[in-house]
Amino acid sequence: MNQQFLKEIEIGSKNALVKKRIITHYIYSGTSTITDLSKELDLSVPTVTKFIGEMCDDGYLNDYGKLETSGGRHPSLYGLNPESGYFIGVDIKKFAINIGIINFKGDMVELKMNIPYKLENSIEGMNELCKLVLNFIKKLTINKEKILNINFNISGRVNPESGYSFSLFNFEERPLAEVLTEKLKYKVTIDNDTRAMTYGEYMQGCVKVEKNIIFVNISWGIGIGIIIDGKVYNGKSGFAGEFGHVNTFDNEIICHCGKKGCLETEASGAALHRILLERIRNGENSILTERVATENENPLTLDEIISAVAKEDVLCIEIVEEIGQKLGKQIAGLINIFNPELVIIGGTLSLTEDYITQPIKTAIRKYSLNLVNKDSVIMTSKLKDHAGIVGACMLARSRMFED
Ligand SMILES: [Zn+2]
């Protein structure tokens, strides 16, 4: 990627804006002809031809050959040149991180899943994270100057536009994106983890033509990603989708947000973990009974609980089902409000497949309006535990070229 163009993007020249729109068009549509592109951008064919010529010369676009048509004319198809730039995504979990890199066309070039990392909200935790990312970059065989952006998925309140994180790694008076840019010496953007998963699923997962989508991330916490008319909805400051902190239960359980009775306190990975420990300690049987005895030194992970479900541990299954019912009742409310075409059940707990989705579906039918829920297809995430990393990489690319 030519440094001149990157500078133009920063300054926001008129030509750079048109080029950004052309790149964004190809991000979403793959390849197209000059005629289609001129219609899409509402620009004349000669103007578009001039821009395409320049962008091919500069290496952002490739001529992908003639389109086969029944008529006499065979217009050329253009698309992104995979080698003109690379984008890195970083997906942070509670006990590991995933790092991936895509080329300009969006193909995953290198992916490292489950790199051991213990998430701690401390400066040391942040420095360790940077070390792992730099280590990943060091081992890459591509030209490092072609890495154009790194996007981090951050849990909690995040403003993607200003680059501020308010829940995690918020140690300075300036945006986290700026702090990370300084530490890594590459451009950095950040976004909320659930929103990144939603975007990943939208770009490369189970979404086909649907434009109105709710993605439910059931992991340690609960969040939703909202897509309205094909656009990810952020809200005013990027805080939209905090479904897990809707006051739902009349209980005395204090949520990590500091309030009582949040949805997350009884229906989330954290709740599954807490309830399972309580019930095992009260003498109920589970294949995890012995494992729980060492919980204090070595915390039980959600992955371990999910594999117990896969081994048909009755206690774990029962708790997952109860969580599914409680969540389904609240998702029914979301369906009444948003009338989505598609509701995607994703996140770590979605790996329990039918054990969680069946009670969710039953509760949705029971508690949402009949006419409304007929419009909504309920699906399990196709990308599963890759949704976050795919989304992080895709966001690293699209965030560079947004208007
Ligand atoms: Zn809360």
Side-chain angles (χ1 to χ4, degrees):
M1 171 84 43
N2 140 345
Q3 294 301 317
Q4 183 60 35
F5 177 49
L6 292 178
K7 276 197 201 99
E8 279 181 31
I9 286 186
E10 297 280 328
I11 302 160
S13 79
K14 211 175 154 200
N15 279 1
L17 284 178
V18 177
K19 288 180 183 175
K20 274 164 80 173
R21 285 180 66 204
I22 292 174
I23 291 172
T24 302
H25 167 81
Y26 285 122
I27 286 177
Y28 290 98
S29 57
T31 55
S32 70
T33 63
I34 287 183
T35 322
D36 286 342
L37 187 61
S38 75
K39 276 183 204 146
E40 181 68 30
L41 301 181
D42 200 18
L43 289 170
S44 74
V45 169
T47 307
V48 172
T49 308
K50 177 184 140 285
F51 276 111
I52 294 279
E54 277 179 33
M55 292 173 79
C56 283
D57 289 346
D58 288 342
Y60 317 129
L61 299 184
N62 267 354
D63 181 340
Y64 280 96
K66 304 278 182 215
L67 177 69
E68 291 300 320
T69 56
S70 51
R73 301 186 67 187
H74 298 292
S76 279
L77 275 176
Y78 293 91
L80 301 172
N81 173 9
E83 281 149 27
S84 59
Y86 294 87
F87 305 89
I88 291 180
V90 183
D91 189 34
I92 310 167
K93 304 277 171 209
K94 210 169 158 56
F95 296 106
I97 61 163
N98 305 321
I99 313 180
I101 180 166
I102 58 167
N103 63 25
F104 206 60
K105 230 173 132 238
D107 308 316
M108 194 67 78
V109 178
E110 181 80 42
L111 174 63
K112 288 265 180 291
M113 294 289 285
N114 295 313
I115 303 167
Y117 171 73
K118 192 164 182 307
L119 177 58
E120 262 160 26
N121 193 13
S122 62
I123 293 177
E124 293 72 35
M126 183 173 71
N127 289 341
E128 174 64 16
L129 181 68
C130 291
K131 213 172 89 190
L132 293 172
V133 173
L134 287 173
N135 216 359
F136 174 86
I137 294 173
K138 207 166 88 189
K139 289 183 186 150
L140 293 171
T141 51
I142 57 152
N143 176 357
K144 313 285 192 286
E145 281 180 15
K146 287 190 170 183
I147 297 170
L148 303 181
N149 190 22
I150 305 177
N151 187 78
F152 284 79
N153 296 350
I154 304 279
S155 61
R157 261 64 71 211
V158 169
N159 185 332
E161 268 173 48
S162 66
Y164 275 97
S165 163
F166 299 93
S167 311
L168 190 66
F169 302 147
N170 184 15
F171 311 120
E172 294 187 34
E173 289 294 310
R174 54 191 183 132
L176 176 63
E178 194 182 305
V179 175
L180 293 174
T181 299
E182 203 174 275
K183 285 187 185 292
L184 297 170
K185 312 270 186 301
Y186 288 97
K187 182 177 162 55
V188 170
T189 52
I190 62 170
D191 210 322
N192 170 268
D193 53 354
T194 300
R195 215 150 39 220
M197 293 165 88
T198 308
Y199 191 62
E201 201 69 43
Y202 182 65
M203 295 295 283
Q204 293 195 344
C206 66
V207 179
K208 292 190 184 83
V209 294
E210 296 85 354
K211 298 280 180 219
N212 295 290
I213 302 155
I214 303 284
F215 178 93
V216 187
N217 174 16
I218 319 172
S219 296
W220 192 255
I222 298 276
I224 59 168
I226 306 159
I227 293 181
I228 297 174
D229 290 334
K231 283 223 151 101
V232 178
Y233 179 77
N234 288 342
K236 179 179 183 288
S237 308
F239 308 152
E242 288 293 354
F243 185 46
H245 302 288
V246 172
N247 186 286
T248 314
F249 303 108
D250 191 14
N251 64 26
E252 289 300 313
I253 305 168
I254 300 195
C255 180
H256 65 92
C257 73
K259 303 193 188 293
K260 283 180 193 169
C262 292
L263 177 61
E264 261 183 47
T265 62
E266 291 191 39
S268 64
L272 169 63
H273 182 263
R274 192 198 68 243
I275 296 166
L276 180 66
L277 292 191
E278 277 168 12
R279 289 178 62 169
I280 288 178
R281 282 167 185 161
N282 281 335
E284 287 189 58
N285 259 329
S286 161
I287 56 172
L288 292 172
T289 302
E290 267 180 47
R291 173 67 184 82
V292 163
T294 63
E295 153 75 20
N296 286 343
E297 306 93 76
N298 183 16
L300 184 68
T301 66
L302 281 185
D303 290 336
E304 287 175 279
I305 304 176
I306 287 160
S307 30
V309 170
K311 288 178 194 143
E312 297 180 4
D313 182 71
V314 177
L315 180 61
C316 290
I317 289 174
E318 246 178 62
I319 304 169
V320 167
E321 282 174 348
E322 285 164 17
I323 286 174
Q325 283 161 15
K326 287 174 182 171
L327 270 177
K329 199 170 173 179
Q330 302 308 316
I331 295 170
L334 293 178
I335 288 178
N336 286 350
I337 295 167
F338 287 100
N339 184 210
E341 302 161 84
L342 185 61
V343 176
I344 306 169
I345 307 298
T348 317
L349 259 61
S350 73
L351 300 175
T352 62
E353 306 266 344
D354 282 354
Y355 289 118
I356 192 124
T357 48
Q358 282 310 330
I360 288 177
K361 284 182 183 173
T362 307
I364 287 174
R365 269 197 300 274
K366 201 165 156 191
Y367 295 106
S368 60
L369 294 167
N370 276 338
L371 191 64
V372 183
N373 76 34
K374 279 200 182 73
D375 278 350
S376 306
V377 175
I378 320 290
M379 278 180 111
T380 314
S381 159
K382 184 179 164 194
L383 296 180
K384 299 198 160 54
D385 52 351
H386 284 61
I389 188 62
V390 169
C393 292
M394 292 281 149
L395 278 174
R397 181 178 61 164
S398 63
R399 289 285 302 279
M400 285 283 293
F401 304 107
E402 275 166 2
D403 285 336

